[in-house]
Amino acid sequence: MHKKVDFLVIGSGIAGLSFALKVSEYGKVCVVTKNLAEETATKYAQGGIAAVMYSPDTYEKHIKDTLNAGDDLCNEKIVRITITESTERIKELIEWGAQFDKTDSGKYSLGKEGGHSESRVLHHKDSTGQEIIRALLQKVKSHPNIELLENHFTIDLITQHHLGIDISRGTTDIKCYGAYVLCPDSGEVVKVLAKKILLATGGAGNVYSTTTNPEIATGDGIAMAYRAKARIENMEFVQFHPTSLYNPGEVPSFLITEALRGFGAILKTTHGEEFMHKYDDRGSLAPRDIVARAIDSEMKHSGDDYVYLDATFLKANELIQNFPTVYAKCLSIGIDITKEKIPVVPAAHYLTGGIKVDEHGLTSIKNLYATGECASTGLHGANRLASNSLLESAVFSNRAAKHATKTRYESNFCDNIPDWDAEGKVLNEEMVLITQTTKELQSIMSNYVGIVRSDLRLKRAIDRLELIYKETEDLYKRSILSVPICELRNLINVAYLIIKMAQQRKESRGLHYSIDYPDKAEVKMNSRR
Ligand code: FAD
Ligand code: SIN
């Protein structure tokens, strides 16, 4: 079975849906998403979306904060593009129906988060992502040019490789013609041919045991792009959010938004002592890499399983009004945040690197774009500034849509792509082989490739990964396709990229900290300026 569309969009978060809405004026669009359309990281975004709205904030201040957080690895041109286009993208989200909170004076209410020198985070209480997804999906579902395929899993991108032509990582004119998509209900693999393809598959938090990311975040887009020989970069920079709710056994970990610290909440040890000023003058609102490392260090020192976030001294009615989701969640496990401190631990939260793209969101493969968390635009450098990712997705999906529509006549359908070959595959009846290997992988990554790394830990990780890579490739080749085996394979690919790039970085910078190289190298490695 096959399908032909002008634009194939893989992913239904902010990146995929905003692109789909833009290009739908120029041709037929198919949005493929592996779960229900709303089940995305976007839906769980709490704090909000950063943008310059009013004085005394300025583009220059937001640019400076982004560059500072990125620890000299941001691409300054990309930072300038993103920030100066921020206000326009916010206006567009509002035109599409997204509602952000306002103050009594009628101006948008702006929150403050770590590393921001001004209050500039637009929000919808503490469920901003849910509001954005609601508005975008409503538009997408009613658009006659957009077909939405829910519960469809993209397996691999189609390139010349599928025409029997050899391509390698050095090949310069790789072209993408579409993707093979599995419909798990029927077991059928659909060949979707398209002129322009967007990867908007989000992050890969599930490569770790503890993450704030939903189950869908298994790095599929990055793994697919890597297999198709696209350029990937900066994978060593994994952002651990300092404050996920300590609630053993809960998957994914519930996020306690940084906006709560922006509102005044303070980190304390289990003995009630403030500790952040030992590490940074900005205290509990220092950038995330610093706060996460400080908590990790305090926990290692004390042997405790968590630290506390104290909001008990803040006004109870304001807390409940501004953070209803956090309040209700904590209450559901017996913690009244107006009276009791919240136990928190760092958890894997955001993948800063990804598929390398240019200022139009174009990857190193022709006709293939990537935006959102799976992409590496150069905005974040070595560390993402809070609430800059929803913004980045909106800005680069807009840019990619403009480029894709302008150049669509240069691309043709490729009609001689073969159907998916399922010959010789047998049903894998032992799910335990997949579930156990996934746990093993997550444990390797959490124990050896976490907030603090060393050469020895990384070597252990890569040695162990090699074994599970071989076992899983063997199983994949023999088994009838299923989502779990594909996701495991993708997670292993992503883990490999994180470890390999961490091994190459002989310094500590931003989110990558190695006890063997505690200082930042003088000469910038991998600089994109
Ligand atoms: P997502 O929203 O994750 O969407 C990915 C899509 O790809 C999904 O539809 C998924 O089903 C689909 N997909 C993946 N693989 C496949 C496949 N193989 N086949 C088909 N479909 C596939 N950022 C901020 O800026 N501000 C915040 O306040 C904020 N809060 C956050 C809170 C939480 C708890 C989390 C987890 C993240 C938060 N972030 C925040 C980060 C931000 O939400 C994400 O970076 C952003 O939403 C990513 O959007 P996206 O469109 O790239 O991916
Ligand atoms: C948060 O609300 O703390 C998350 C913000 C982000 O990840 O940008």
Side-chain angles (χ1 to χ4, degrees), residues 207-427:
V207 82
Y208 289 92
S209 323
T210 312
T211 178
T212 61
N213 291 188
E215 270 182 14
I216 55 104
T218 51
D220 301 347
I222 296 168
M224 276 186 254
Y226 181 65
R227 287 196 292 270
K229 311 281 188 274
R231 210 175 142 194
I232 314 289
E233 67 174 10
N234 289 353
M235 294 290 286
E236 66 274 38
F237 300 116
V238 177
Q239 185 167 70
F240 288 79
H241 197 292
T243 57
S244 79
L245 180 64
Y246 176 73
N247 186 24
E250 180 172 9
V251 180
S253 299
F254 180 81
L255 182 77
I256 304 292
T257 177
E258 190 158 314
L260 195 54
R261 275 176 281 138
F263 202 70
I266 287 178
L267 287 161
K268 294 185 174 166
T269 65
T270 50
H271 299 294
E273 286 150 17
E274 288 183 33
F275 58 86
M276 269 313 301
H277 282 288
K278 281 194 294 188
Y279 299 89
D280 193 285
D281 288 345
R282 289 162 287 187
S284 293
L285 262 195
R288 277 185 196 168
D289 55 328
I290 296 169
V291 183
R293 265 199 307 278
I295 296 177
D296 186 66
S297 155
E298 290 292 322
M299 282 168 41
K300 287 207 169 99
H301 184 70
S302 65
D304 290 334
D305 290 334
Y306 52 83
V307 295
Y308 278 129
L309 184 63
D310 187 0
T312 55
F313 56 92
L314 300 169
K315 284 196 181 123
N317 61 334
E318 288 184 7
L319 263 183
I320 297 168
Q321 195 188 340
N322 285 287
F323 302 98
T325 314
V326 170
Y327 175 72
K329 171 68 196 183
C330 291
L331 204 57
S332 78
I333 61 162
I335 301 166
D336 178 347
I337 65 168
T338 66
K339 299 192 181 83
E340 291 158 285
K341 297 194 273 288
I342 312 167
V344 291
V345 277
H349 180 64
Y350 184 84
L351 191 56
T352 302
I355 307 158
K356 181 177 162 59
V357 295
D358 68 9
E359 66 198 78
H360 307 293
L362 194 59
T363 69
S364 55
I365 295 184
K366 211 161 171 238
N367 300 326
L368 180 68
Y369 298 81
T371 57
E373 193 166 334
C374 68
S376 176
T377 61
L379 172 69
H380 309 305
N383 183 21
R384 175 184 68 112
L385 186 66
S387 288
N388 261 0
S389 43
L390 291 173
L391 174 66
E392 181 195 40
S393 305
V395 167
F396 282 89
S397 286
N398 175 57
R399 296 187 134 252
K402 277 192 182 153
H403 192 269
T405 50
K406 209 157 58 183
T407 58
R408 69 192 186 283
Y409 296 117
E410 295 164 17
S411 315
N412 293 310
F413 292 112
C414 184
D415 285 320
N416 39 356
I417 300 289
D419 287 339
W420 183 259
D421 180 9
E423 197 133 321
K425 310 268 181 163
V426 293
L427 193 64

Side-chain angles (χ1 to χ4, degrees), residues 208-209 440-450 452 457 461:
Y208 289 92
S209 323
E440 236 177 282
L441 170 73
Q442 291 168 334
S443 150
I444 292 169
M445 292 303 287
S446 296
N447 290 323
Y448 300 130
V449 201
V452 175
R457 290 180 202 176

